[in-house]
Amino acid sequence: MKNIQILFLSLLTTVFSFGQNSQLEKYKKAEDFLKTNEVQNAYEIFKELNSEVSKSDTLYNYVTWYYEAATSYLENSNRLKENYQTSLKYGLEALNIIQNNKEYFNPTFAEKEPWMVKNIVVSYFGLGKIEEAKKYKEILYQSYKDKSLPNGIDGYFNFDFFKFKDKNVWGYEWFPELPDNRFSSSFTKVVYYVYSTNEDGTDKDQLYRFHVLMYHQENKDTKFDYLLERQIETDEATISGSYYQYVYKKDIDYKKLKSDIIEILTKEIEPSSRRTIPKRK
């Protein structure tokens, strides 16, 4: 009987070691794919390993870290190519990885969560699914109210991105809400930044930006809250001008706003006014 027990334990050890060695071999192969920038192949192995390796195994943390990194890389590369259906898929997967594994890593890993929520917002906007994007924006707004957002996303966030000819256009939204006193200060809710691009499609120089600027109402009959303005920075001054034909209510119609930006870029529409504010030297 004792010999049978010893044999059984010996077989278990052999099977366990074989399984562990097999997992280590997969892990090494995935690492090699990362070194040669074959991220898709690495992602598939890390994803498989993530479901195989026990959470009590020291290998689990390494697998999960690289699994999330590879997934985030694929999300980012597809989003910047405007492959929004694919970037959304990877974004939701990466968010799930982060949320399910925050307890195993230091706070830096958990701080990835709002950034991935932001990326999901961009993908939904790119797909024209504004209501779905709104659900994830609300997560960011709640975190803003809770003061739990990390540096870099604690005041504003990127919600839209698209390419127009040889330009990159980035939409950013600020968390603070429209003030009740419209004469208290200048207030911008949304900015679309327009950049020229390098040969690889990355940002080069900021050409100008479009502000969704609070309108200083003179009477209660005014039927809009924001006015679109273009601003250009030079070494000597800020040159701005308003588009009085493009106005928005407090609850901004984001589809209209994006359509307006594209119309201005397409038709090269100039502002209705022009102001030059010299810079202090």
Side-chain angles (χ1 to χ4, degrees), residues 206-227:
Q206 185 186 131
L207 303 175
Y208 41 85
R209 57 186 184 266
F210 296 100
H211 286 239
V212 178
L213 190 67
M214 177 179 68
Y215 180 68
H216 297 287
Q217 296 180 345
E218 296 182 357
N219 59 66
K220 295 181 180 180
D221 294 329
T222 303
K223 296 181 180 179
F224 60 90
D225 301 292
Y226 293 106
L227 181 71

PDB file of all heavy atoms in Angstrom, residues 206-227:
ATOM      1  N   GLN A 206       1.358  71.294 -34.112  1.00  0.00           N
ATOM      2  CA  GLN A 206      -0.021  71.735 -33.924  1.00  0.00           C
ATOM      3  C   GLN A 206      -0.273  72.932 -34.840  1.00  0.00           C
ATOM      4  O   GLN A 206       0.403  73.950 -34.741  1.00  0.00           O
ATOM      5  CB  GLN A 206      -0.278  72.135 -32.465  1.00  0.00           C
ATOM      6  CG  GLN A 206      -1.743  72.473 -32.214  1.00  0.00           C
ATOM      7  CD  GLN A 206      -2.010  73.005 -30.812  1.00  0.00           C
ATOM      8  OE1 GLN A 206      -2.669  74.030 -30.644  1.00  0.00           O
ATOM      9  NE2 GLN A 206      -1.496  72.301 -29.805  1.00  0.00           N
ATOM     10  N   LEU A 207      -1.252  72.786 -35.718  1.00  0.00           N
ATOM     11  CA  LEU A 207      -1.568  73.843 -36.682  1.00  0.00           C
ATOM     12  C   LEU A 207      -2.516  74.870 -36.076  1.00  0.00           C
ATOM     13  O   LEU A 207      -2.324  76.074 -36.202  1.00  0.00           O
ATOM     14  CB  LEU A 207      -2.180  73.232 -37.943  1.00  0.00           C
ATOM     15  CG  LEU A 207      -1.313  72.176 -38.656  1.00  0.00           C
ATOM     16  CD1 LEU A 207      -2.083  71.567 -39.826  1.00  0.00           C
ATOM     17  CD2 LEU A 207       0.000  72.794 -39.129  1.00  0.00           C
ATOM     18  N   TYR A 208      -3.562  74.372 -35.427  1.00  0.00           N
ATOM     19  CA  TYR A 208      -4.546  75.221 -34.758  1.00  0.00           C
ATOM     20  C   TYR A 208      -5.457  74.341 -33.928  1.00  0.00           C
ATOM     21  O   TYR A 208      -5.329  73.111 -33.935  1.00  0.00           O
ATOM     22  CB  TYR A 208      -5.368  76.047 -35.759  1.00  0.00           C
ATOM     23  CG  TYR A 208      -5.783  75.287 -36.997  1.00  0.00           C
ATOM     24  CD1 TYR A 208      -6.927  74.507 -37.016  1.00  0.00           C
ATOM     25  CD2 TYR A 208      -5.016  75.361 -38.173  1.00  0.00           C
ATOM     26  CE1 TYR A 208      -7.309  73.811 -38.142  1.00  0.00           C
ATOM     27  CE2 TYR A 208      -5.401  74.657 -39.313  1.00  0.00           C
ATOM     28  CZ  TYR A 208      -6.538  73.889 -39.291  1.00  0.00           C
ATOM     29  OH  TYR A 208      -6.915  73.191 -40.412  1.00  0.00           O
ATOM     30  N   ARG A 209      -6.367  74.950 -33.220  1.00  0.00           N
ATOM     31  CA  ARG A 209      -7.303  74.196 -32.385  1.00  0.00           C
ATOM     32  C   ARG A 209      -8.667  74.869 -32.406  1.00  0.00           C
ATOM     33  O   ARG A 209      -8.767  76.088 -32.554  1.00  0.00           O
ATOM     34  CB  ARG A 209      -6.783  74.072 -30.947  1.00  0.00           C
ATOM     35  CG  ARG A 209      -6.498  75.392 -30.263  1.00  0.00           C
ATOM     36  CD  ARG A 209      -5.843  75.180 -28.890  1.00  0.00           C
ATOM     37  NE  ARG A 209      -5.650  76.449 -28.198  1.00  0.00           N
ATOM     38  CZ  ARG A 209      -4.533  77.161 -28.232  1.00  0.00           C
ATOM     39  NH1 ARG A 209      -3.493  76.723 -28.945  1.00  0.00           N
ATOM     40  NH2 ARG A 209      -4.438  78.292 -27.571  1.00  0.00           N
ATOM     41  N   PHE A 210      -9.696  74.057 -32.241  1.00  0.00           N
ATOM     42  CA  PHE A 210     -11.068  74.545 -32.192  1.00  0.00           C
ATOM     43  C   PHE A 210     -11.592  74.416 -30.767  1.00  0.00           C
ATOM     44  O   PHE A 210     -11.634  73.310 -30.217  1.00  0.00           O
ATOM     45  CB  PHE A 210     -11.962  73.750 -33.145  1.00  0.00           C
ATOM     46  CG  PHE A 210     -11.594  73.897 -34.598  1.00  0.00           C
ATOM     47  CD1 PHE A 210     -10.848  72.917 -35.245  1.00  0.00           C
ATOM     48  CD2 PHE A 210     -11.992  75.012 -35.310  1.00  0.00           C
ATOM     49  CE1 PHE A 210     -10.514  73.046 -36.583  1.00  0.00           C
ATOM     50  CE2 PHE A 210     -11.659  75.152 -36.657  1.00  0.00           C
ATOM     51  CZ  PHE A 210     -10.910  74.171 -37.294  1.00  0.00           C
ATOM     52  N   HIS A 211     -12.000  75.540 -30.180  1.00  0.00           N
ATOM     53  CA  HIS A 211     -12.537  75.546 -28.816  1.00  0.00           C
ATOM     54  C   HIS A 211     -14.062  75.604 -28.844  1.00  0.00           C
ATOM     55  O   HIS A 211     -14.643  76.408 -29.586  1.00  0.00           O
ATOM     56  CB  HIS A 211     -12.043  76.785 -28.056  1.00  0.00           C
ATOM     57  CG  HIS A 211     -10.607  76.724 -27.651  1.00  0.00           C
ATOM     58  ND1 HIS A 211     -10.202  76.816 -26.344  1.00  0.00           N
ATOM     59  CD2 HIS A 211      -9.475  76.571 -28.386  1.00  0.00           C
ATOM     60  CE1 HIS A 211      -8.881  76.731 -26.287  1.00  0.00           C
ATOM     61  NE2 HIS A 211      -8.417  76.579 -27.515  1.00  0.00           N
ATOM     62  N   VAL A 212     -14.687  74.751 -28.047  1.00  0.00           N
ATOM     63  CA  VAL A 212     -16.123  74.890 -27.787  1.00  0.00           C
ATOM     64  C   VAL A 212     -16.189  75.800 -26.564  1.00  0.00           C
ATOM     65  O   VAL A 212     -16.057  75.352 -25.423  1.00  0.00           O
ATOM     66  CB  VAL A 212     -16.783  73.525 -27.540  1.00  0.00           C
ATOM     67  CG1 VAL A 212     -18.277  73.703 -27.230  1.00  0.00           C
ATOM     68  CG2 VAL A 212     -16.612  72.635 -28.770  1.00  0.00           C
ATOM     69  N   LEU A 213     -16.358  77.079 -26.833  1.00  0.00           N
ATOM     70  CA  LEU A 213     -16.170  78.139 -25.845  1.00  0.00           C
ATOM     71  C   LEU A 213     -17.500  78.642 -25.293  1.00  0.00           C
ATOM     72  O   LEU A 213     -18.464  78.844 -26.042  1.00  0.00           O
ATOM     73  CB  LEU A 213     -15.423  79.301 -26.518  1.00  0.00           C
ATOM     74  CG  LEU A 213     -14.904  80.436 -25.657  1.00  0.00           C
ATOM     75  CD1 LEU A 213     -13.799  79.952 -24.735  1.00  0.00           C
ATOM     76  CD2 LEU A 213     -14.382  81.566 -26.564  1.00  0.00           C
ATOM     77  N   MET A 214     -17.549  78.836 -23.977  1.00  0.00           N
ATOM     78  CA  MET A 214     -18.769  79.365 -23.355  1.00  0.00           C
ATOM     79  C   MET A 214     -19.125  80.720 -23.957  1.00  0.00           C
ATOM     80  O   MET A 214     -18.277  81.596 -24.094  1.00  0.00           O
ATOM     81  CB  MET A 214     -18.561  79.517 -21.846  1.00  0.00           C
ATOM     82  CG  MET A 214     -19.750  80.119 -21.113  1.00  0.00           C
ATOM     83  SD  MET A 214     -19.461  80.242 -19.322  1.00  0.00           S
ATOM     84  CE  MET A 214     -18.166  81.488 -19.253  1.00  0.00           C
ATOM     85  N   TYR A 215     -20.399  80.867 -24.311  1.00  0.00           N
ATOM     86  CA  TYR A 215     -20.874  82.144 -24.858  1.00  0.00           C
ATOM     87  C   TYR A 215     -21.348  83.026 -23.705  1.00  0.00           C
ATOM     88  O   TYR A 215     -22.135  82.607 -22.864  1.00  0.00           O
ATOM     89  CB  TYR A 215     -22.015  81.895 -25.841  1.00  0.00           C
ATOM     90  CG  TYR A 215     -22.561  83.162 -26.461  1.00  0.00           C
ATOM     91  CD1 TYR A 215     -21.785  83.910 -27.346  1.00  0.00           C
ATOM     92  CD2 TYR A 215     -23.850  83.615 -26.179  1.00  0.00           C
ATOM     93  CE1 TYR A 215     -22.272  85.071 -27.917  1.00  0.00           C
ATOM     94  CE2 TYR A 215     -24.346  84.787 -26.749  1.00  0.00           C
ATOM     95  CZ  TYR A 215     -23.551  85.510 -27.619  1.00  0.00           C
ATOM     96  OH  TYR A 215     -24.038  86.653 -28.186  1.00  0.00           O
ATOM     97  N   HIS A 216     -20.829  84.243 -23.663  1.00  0.00           N
ATOM     98  CA  HIS A 216     -21.213  85.190 -22.610  1.00  0.00           C
ATOM     99  C   HIS A 216     -22.581  85.792 -22.968  1.00  0.00           C
ATOM    100  O   HIS A 216     -22.677  86.790 -23.684  1.00  0.00           O
ATOM    101  CB  HIS A 216     -20.162  86.296 -22.470  1.00  0.00           C
ATOM    102  CG  HIS A 216     -18.822  85.757 -22.042  1.00  0.00           C
ATOM    103  ND1 HIS A 216     -18.581  85.312 -20.771  1.00  0.00           N
ATOM    104  CD2 HIS A 216     -17.669  85.579 -22.732  1.00  0.00           C
ATOM    105  CE1 HIS A 216     -17.317  84.898 -20.679  1.00  0.00           C
ATOM    106  NE2 HIS A 216     -16.748  85.040 -21.857  1.00  0.00           N
ATOM    107  N   GLN A 217     -23.624  85.138 -22.484  1.00  0.00           N
ATOM    108  CA  GLN A 217     -24.983  85.527 -22.836  1.00  0.00           C
ATOM    109  C   GLN A 217     -25.319  86.929 -22.347  1.00  0.00           C
ATOM    110  O   GLN A 217     -24.994  87.308 -21.227  1.00  0.00           O
ATOM    111  CB  GLN A 217     -25.986  84.536 -22.242  1.00  0.00           C
ATOM    112  CG  GLN A 217     -25.858  83.135 -22.810  1.00  0.00           C
ATOM    113  CD  GLN A 217     -26.869  82.189 -22.194  1.00  0.00           C
ATOM    114  OE1 GLN A 217     -27.478  82.483 -21.180  1.00  0.00           O
ATOM    115  NE2 GLN A 217     -27.049  81.036 -22.814  1.00  0.00           N
ATOM    116  N   GLU A 218     -26.011  87.674 -23.189  1.00  0.00           N
ATOM    117  CA  GLU A 218     -26.445  89.022 -22.825  1.00  0.00           C
ATOM    118  C   GLU A 218     -27.904  89.048 -22.379  1.00  0.00           C
ATOM    119  O   GLU A 218     -28.330  89.972 -21.703  1.00  0.00           O
ATOM    120  CB  GLU A 218     -26.239  89.972 -24.008  1.00  0.00           C
ATOM    121  CG  GLU A 218     -24.767  90.140 -24.388  1.00  0.00           C
ATOM    122  CD  GLU A 218     -24.587  91.127 -25.518  1.00  0.00           C
ATOM    123  OE1 GLU A 218     -25.611  91.630 -26.027  1.00  0.00           O
ATOM    124  OE2 GLU A 218     -23.438  91.392 -25.896  1.00  0.00           O
ATOM    125  N   ASN A 219     -28.671  88.040 -22.749  1.00  0.00           N
ATOM    126  CA  ASN A 219     -30.077  87.975 -22.316  1.00  0.00           C
ATOM    127  C   ASN A 219     -30.531  86.520 -22.256  1.00  0.00           C
ATOM    128  O   ASN A 219     -29.874  85.620 -22.761  1.00  0.00           O
ATOM    129  CB  ASN A 219     -30.979  88.783 -23.263  1.00  0.00           C
ATOM    130  CG  ASN A 219     -30.897  88.289 -24.696  1.00  0.00           C
ATOM    131  OD1 ASN A 219     -31.310  87.179 -24.994  1.00  0.00           O
ATOM    132  ND2 ASN A 219     -30.335  89.107 -25.590  1.00  0.00           N
ATOM    133  N   LYS A 220     -31.673  86.307 -21.619  1.00  0.00           N
ATOM    134  CA  LYS A 220     -32.178  84.951 -21.402  1.00  0.00           C
ATOM    135  C   LYS A 220     -32.762  84.321 -22.660  1.00  0.00           C
ATOM    136  O   LYS A 220     -33.087  83.136 -22.675  1.00  0.00           O
ATOM    137  CB  LYS A 220     -33.234  84.974 -20.297  1.00  0.00           C
ATOM    138  CG  LYS A 220     -32.671  85.361 -18.933  1.00  0.00           C
ATOM    139  CD  LYS A 220     -33.751  85.337 -17.874  1.00  0.00           C
ATOM    140  CE  LYS A 220     -33.188  85.721 -16.502  1.00  0.00           C
ATOM    141  NZ  LYS A 220     -34.238  85.711 -15.447  1.00  0.00           N
ATOM    142  N   ASP A 221     -32.908  85.133 -23.721  1.00  0.00           N
ATOM    143  CA  ASP A 221     -33.498  84.607 -24.957  1.00  0.00           C
ATOM    144  C   ASP A 221     -32.469  83.868 -25.816  1.00  0.00           C
ATOM    145  O   ASP A 221     -32.837  83.229 -26.801  1.00  0.00           O
ATOM    146  CB  ASP A 221     -34.105  85.757 -25.767  1.00  0.00           C
ATOM    147  CG  ASP A 221     -35.288  86.398 -25.047  1.00  0.00           C
ATOM    148  OD1 ASP A 221     -35.973  85.666 -24.306  1.00  0.00           O
ATOM    149  OD2 ASP A 221     -35.498  87.620 -25.201  1.00  0.00           O
ATOM    150  N   THR A 222     -31.192  83.966 -25.464  1.00  0.00           N
ATOM    151  CA  THR A 222     -30.161  83.281 -26.232  1.00  0.00           C
ATOM    152  C   THR A 222     -30.384  81.770 -26.137  1.00  0.00           C
ATOM    153  O   THR A 222     -30.539  81.232 -25.044  1.00  0.00           O
ATOM    154  CB  THR A 222     -28.756  83.630 -25.697  1.00  0.00           C
ATOM    155  OG1 THR A 222     -28.591  85.047 -25.739  1.00  0.00           O
ATOM    156  CG2 THR A 222     -27.683  82.976 -26.542  1.00  0.00           C
ATOM    157  N   LYS A 223     -30.400  81.097 -27.272  1.00  0.00           N
ATOM    158  CA  LYS A 223     -30.777  79.687 -27.311  1.00  0.00           C
ATOM    159  C   LYS A 223     -29.579  78.737 -27.390  1.00  0.00           C
ATOM    160  O   LYS A 223     -29.735  77.560 -27.701  1.00  0.00           O
ATOM    161  CB  LYS A 223     -31.712  79.441 -28.492  1.00  0.00           C
ATOM    162  CG  LYS A 223     -33.033  80.195 -28.359  1.00  0.00           C
ATOM    163  CD  LYS A 223     -33.949  79.914 -29.529  1.00  0.00           C
ATOM    164  CE  LYS A 223     -35.273  80.668 -29.377  1.00  0.00           C
ATOM    165  NZ  LYS A 223     -36.185  80.420 -30.522  1.00  0.00           N
ATOM    166  N   PHE A 224     -28.390  79.241 -27.121  1.00  0.00           N
ATOM    167  CA  PHE A 224     -27.225  78.361 -27.120  1.00  0.00           C
ATOM    168  C   PHE A 224     -26.284  78.760 -25.992  1.00  0.00           C
ATOM    169  O   PHE A 224     -26.369  79.854 -25.434  1.00  0.00           O
ATOM    170  CB  PHE A 224     -26.509  78.399 -28.475  1.00  0.00           C
ATOM    171  CG  PHE A 224     -26.009  79.768 -28.882  1.00  0.00           C
ATOM    172  CD1 PHE A 224     -24.731  80.195 -28.519  1.00  0.00           C
ATOM    173  CD2 PHE A 224     -26.801  80.632 -29.632  1.00  0.00           C
ATOM    174  CE1 PHE A 224     -24.258  81.447 -28.885  1.00  0.00           C
ATOM    175  CE2 PHE A 224     -26.335  81.885 -30.007  1.00  0.00           C
ATOM    176  CZ  PHE A 224     -25.063  82.291 -29.642  1.00  0.00           C
ATOM    177  N   ASP A 225     -25.384  77.837 -25.651  1.00  0.00           N
ATOM    178  CA  ASP A 225     -24.468  78.035 -24.526  1.00  0.00           C
ATOM    179  C   ASP A 225     -23.007  78.113 -24.953  1.00  0.00           C
ATOM    180  O   ASP A 225     -22.189  78.713 -24.252  1.00  0.00           O
ATOM    181  CB  ASP A 225     -24.623  76.894 -23.522  1.00  0.00           C
ATOM    182  CG  ASP A 225     -26.039  76.788 -22.988  1.00  0.00           C
ATOM    183  OD1 ASP A 225     -26.452  77.701 -22.263  1.00  0.00           O
ATOM    184  OD2 ASP A 225     -26.728  75.795 -23.314  1.00  0.00           O
ATOM    185  N   TYR A 226     -22.698  77.490 -26.083  1.00  0.00           N
ATOM    186  CA  TYR A 226     -21.311  77.460 -26.563  1.00  0.00           C
ATOM    187  C   TYR A 226     -21.212  77.978 -27.989  1.00  0.00           C
ATOM    188  O   TYR A 226     -22.148  77.843 -28.794  1.00  0.00           O
ATOM    189  CB  TYR A 226     -20.765  76.033 -26.545  1.00  0.00           C
ATOM    190  CG  TYR A 226     -20.589  75.429 -25.184  1.00  0.00           C
ATOM    191  CD1 TYR A 226     -21.468  74.445 -24.727  1.00  0.00           C
ATOM    192  CD2 TYR A 226     -19.530  75.794 -24.354  1.00  0.00           C
ATOM    193  CE1 TYR A 226     -21.304  73.848 -23.484  1.00  0.00           C
ATOM    194  CE2 TYR A 226     -19.355  75.211 -23.108  1.00  0.00           C
ATOM    195  CZ  TYR A 226     -20.245  74.239 -22.681  1.00  0.00           C
ATOM    196  OH  TYR A 226     -20.077  73.653 -21.453  1.00  0.00           O
ATOM    197  N   LEU A 227     -20.031  78.508 -28.280  1.00  0.00           N
ATOM    198  CA  LEU A 227     -19.718  79.025 -29.612  1.00  0.00           C
ATOM    199  C   LEU A 227     -18.392  78.409 -30.032  1.00  0.00           C
ATOM    200  O   LEU A 227     -17.478  78.261 -29.211  1.00  0.00           O
ATOM    201  CB  LEU A 227     -19.592  80.547 -29.532  1.00  0.00           C
ATOM    202  CG  LEU A 227     -19.290  81.339 -30.801  1.00  0.00           C
ATOM    203  CD1 LEU A 227     -20.505  81.329 -31.719  1.00  0.00           C
ATOM    204  CD2 LEU A 227     -18.935  82.788 -30.416  1.00  0.00           C
TER     205      LEU A 227
END
